[in-house]
Amino acid sequence: MTEAYIYDAVRTPRGKGKKDGGLHEVTSLRAASAPLEAIRDRNKIDTRDLEDVILGCVTPVGEQGGEIARTVVLYAGYDESVPGLHINRFCASGLEAVNLAANQVKGGAGSAYVAGGVEMMSRVPMASDGASIAVDPIPAMASYFVPQGISADIIATEYGFSRDDVDAYSVESQRRAGAAWAEGRFSKSIIPVKDQNGIEILARDEHLRPETDMQSLGALKPAFQMMGETMPGFDAVALVKYPHLEKINHVHHAGNSSGIVDGAAAVLIGDKAFGEKYGLKPRAKVRSTAKIGTDPTIMLTGPVPATEKILRDSGMAIGDIDLFEVNEAFASVVLRFMQAFGVDHSKVNVNGGAIAMGHPLGATGAMILGALLDEMERSDKATGLATLCVASGMGAATIIERV
C-alpha cells in the first residue's frame, strides 16, 4: 500500500467566539481560505496536482453552508479543477478530513490532498443547524440523550474525578499553553489572519488565561447543575441509564471546559512522488486511523475505545506512543483517557489544549494533529496519537510516525 505523508500543517490563531473576538469580522470563507493559501504558497505547489480539498465543518448553515469546501477552493484561488468535500463528524471533523485524505492516498485514489476544517463560532453559533437527537423526542428518549456538559459530569462521577481534579487539570492546561506561546512553540504553524488590505487582524490565540489558578476557578459555579437537577432534569434521564450512581456530581464550568472560538486549519498530505516533484521533505507518515461508536449518553468517552481500536489495528501498544493529543472538550475527558491507559500527564497535551486555547469544532482535529507533529519534532519523538471525543457517542484517532 502507498504511504501517506504529511508535508505541512498550518492553522489560524483562535479568536474568541464572541462579537468582540479578534476574528469576528472575518467571514468563514476568508478564515478557511487563509490556511489553504498558506499551504499552496509555502510549498510552492501547483494546485492542479491536488486530488481534492476536504474540510470539516460542524455547523454548515448560512455562510458555512452550501458545500463550503468547494467555495473555499475557488475563493482561495486554487485551480477550478480541484473539487471540494465538506464532512461532519462533529468535533472530530477536522481529524476525519485528514484521515479520509490519508486513506485515499494509501488506496491510490490521488497523489495529494489538502484536508482540515473551519468553524467561526462567533458568526455561526453552535447548534444553529438543529439536531434531531436533541429535539426529536423519539431518538432523544431511545438514546437517553443529555447535553454534553451533563455527559462530562457523568464521566467525572463514574470515574471518580472531583471538582479539584478537573480544576487542577485546567490550571495546568492554561499554564502549558501560556508557556508554549511564550517560547514560540506554535510559530511554525500559525498563519496570521489579515484583512483584504493585508493588515494583520490576529496573530495569536486570544482565549488563553495563563494567570488562571485554583482560586479563580473555585469561584465559578457548576455550569450544568441547574439543567441537570431542575425537574424534570437531565440528571434523572442519566440515572435511569446509570442506576448504580446515587447522583451526578456536577464539576464542570466554563473554566474547565473547552472555549468557544473561531479558527481554521489545513494539512497537506501526499504520496512520495508528490513530495519528490516539489522537493518537499515528509514530516511524518499517517500510520493508522480509527473511528468508533460509543454510548450516546455518557457520549464523551470515545477516545478510550478509539485508541484501543487503533492500537489493535496497527499492532501497537500504548507504550509505543511517545506523545498524545487528546482534545480537551472537558477536563474529565482527558483525565479518563490518562486513567484508562495509565499514561503520564507529561506525555499528554504538552502545550495545553482546548480548555486554554479553545475548540473551533470543525477545525480542532486538524489543529491538534498539527500541534502533535510540531511537538514531536521539537522534542525529537517518533510516534504520536491524536484523538477526540465526539457528540452522540463516537470517537476518532490517528497515529502518526516521523520519517
Side-chain angles (χ1 to χ4, degrees):
M1 182 175 289
T2 302
E3 295 285 6
Y5 297 104
I6 298 175
Y7 288 102
D8 202 4
V10 298
R11 72 170 177 91
T12 68
R14 285 173 267 203
K16 290 187 297 183
K18 299 179 180 180
K19 291 183 178 179
D20 63 347
L23 295 179
H24 178 64
E25 68 182 80
V26 180
T27 66
S28 303
L29 194 59
R30 177 63 196 137
S33 72
L36 263 69
E37 292 168 11
I39 286 287
R40 177 194 61 209
D41 298 343
R42 281 164 49 132
N43 299 284
K44 298 179 173 58
I45 61 173
D46 183 339
T47 56
R48 289 175 295 182
D49 286 333
L50 296 175
E51 184 73 15
D52 205 352
V53 169
I54 308 174
L55 295 180
C57 183
V58 175
T59 314
V61 296
E63 66 182 57
Q64 291 182 170
E67 220 290 62
I68 189 170
R70 171 60 175 170
T71 311
V72 172
V73 163
L74 299 174
Y75 187 91
Y78 278 32
D79 191 82
E80 66 179 19
S81 64
V82 182
L85 173 65
H86 157 250
I87 66 168
N88 182 6
R89 199 188 294 278
F90 294 134
C91 299
S93 298
L95 189 66
E96 283 288 9
V98 174
N99 290 352
L100 177 57
N103 288 329
Q104 294 275 69
V105 170
K106 288 184 177 184
S111 184
Y113 288 72
V114 172
V118 61
E119 207 79 36
M120 300 298 284
M121 301 178 76
S122 73
R123 299 176 62 88
V124 185
M126 179 170 53
S128 56
D129 58 334
S132 58
I133 196 169
V135 299
D136 186 328
I138 295 176
M141 292 175 66
S143 64
Y144 294 89
F145 170 82
V146 299
Q148 286 190 21
I150 302 291
S151 299
D153 287 338
I154 297 172
I155 293 174
T157 306
E158 176 74 8
Y159 296 103
F161 304 127
S162 68
R163 171 67 183 263
D164 280 352
D165 291 334
V166 293
D167 281 358
Y169 178 86
S170 304
V171 168
E172 179 62 9
S173 177
Q174 293 281 3
R175 187 198 69 77
R176 291 183 180 193
W181 267 104
E183 295 174 16
R185 296 187 184 183
F186 301 125
S187 59
K188 187 174 185 177
S189 301
I190 293 292
I191 303 301
V193 177
K194 300 178 180 180
D195 66 15
Q196 293 181 339
N197 297 315
I199 299 173
E200 191 173 283
I201 298 174
L202 188 68
R204 178 184 176 90
D205 294 332
E206 64 175 352
H207 186 268
L208 280 77
R209 296 180 178 85
E211 73 284 356
T212 298
D213 56 25
M214 292 294 286
Q215 289 70 33
S216 61
L217 292 186
L220 300 176
K221 294 182 179 180
F224 309 104
Q225 185 168 3
M226 182 174 293
M227 71 170 64
E229 295 180 352
T230 302
M231 296 301 292
F234 287 107
D235 284 8
V237 176
L239 292 173
V240 172
K241 185 75 171 287
Y242 309 106
H244 60 285
L245 301 178
E246 289 187 13
K247 59 173 294 188
I248 307 302
N249 184 23
H250 292 285
V251 298
H252 287 91
H253 49 74
N256 55 36
S257 307
S258 56
I260 294 174
V261 295
D262 299 328
V267 180
L268 176 61
I269 298 167
D271 59 18
K272 182 179 180 181
F274 175 80
E276 290 177 343
K277 178 176 181 177
Y278 289 101
L280 301 176
K281 181 180 179 181
R283 296 176 62 187
K285 67 178 180 181
V286 178
R287 176 160 178 169
S288 187
T289 69
K291 61 270 189 185
I292 199 166
T294 65
D295 180 348
T297 306
I298 202 168
M299 194 185 306
L300 307 173
T301 56
V304 174
T307 296
E308 292 172 340
K309 183 176 189 295
I310 200 170
L311 291 174
R312 184 171 61 249
D313 291 349
S314 59
M316 301 177 73
I318 198 72
D320 296 326
I321 307 297
D322 296 320
L323 289 173
F324 301 85
E325 282 287 329
V326 184
N327 187 40
E328 294 176 353
F330 299 88
S332 64
V333 172
V334 188
L335 290 173
R336 172 55 189 154
F337 180 89
M338 293 190 294
Q339 179 191 68
F341 294 106
V343 176
D344 191 87
H345 195 185
S346 63
K347 296 182 177 182
V348 180
N349 299 353
V350 172
N351 296 311
I355 289 172
M357 293 178 284
H359 177 17
L361 306 176
T364 303
M367 286 185 173
I368 68 170
L369 190 70
L372 177 64
L373 178 55
D374 284 348
E375 180 58 28
M376 287 167 62
E377 292 174 340
R378 189 193 72 85
S379 57
D380 195 23
K381 303 298 184 183
T383 58
L385 184 150
T387 183
L388 302 93
C389 59
V390 185
S392 298
M394 293 181 282
T398 306
I399 293 175
I400 61 175
E401 182 178 303
R402 286 177 64 204
V403 294

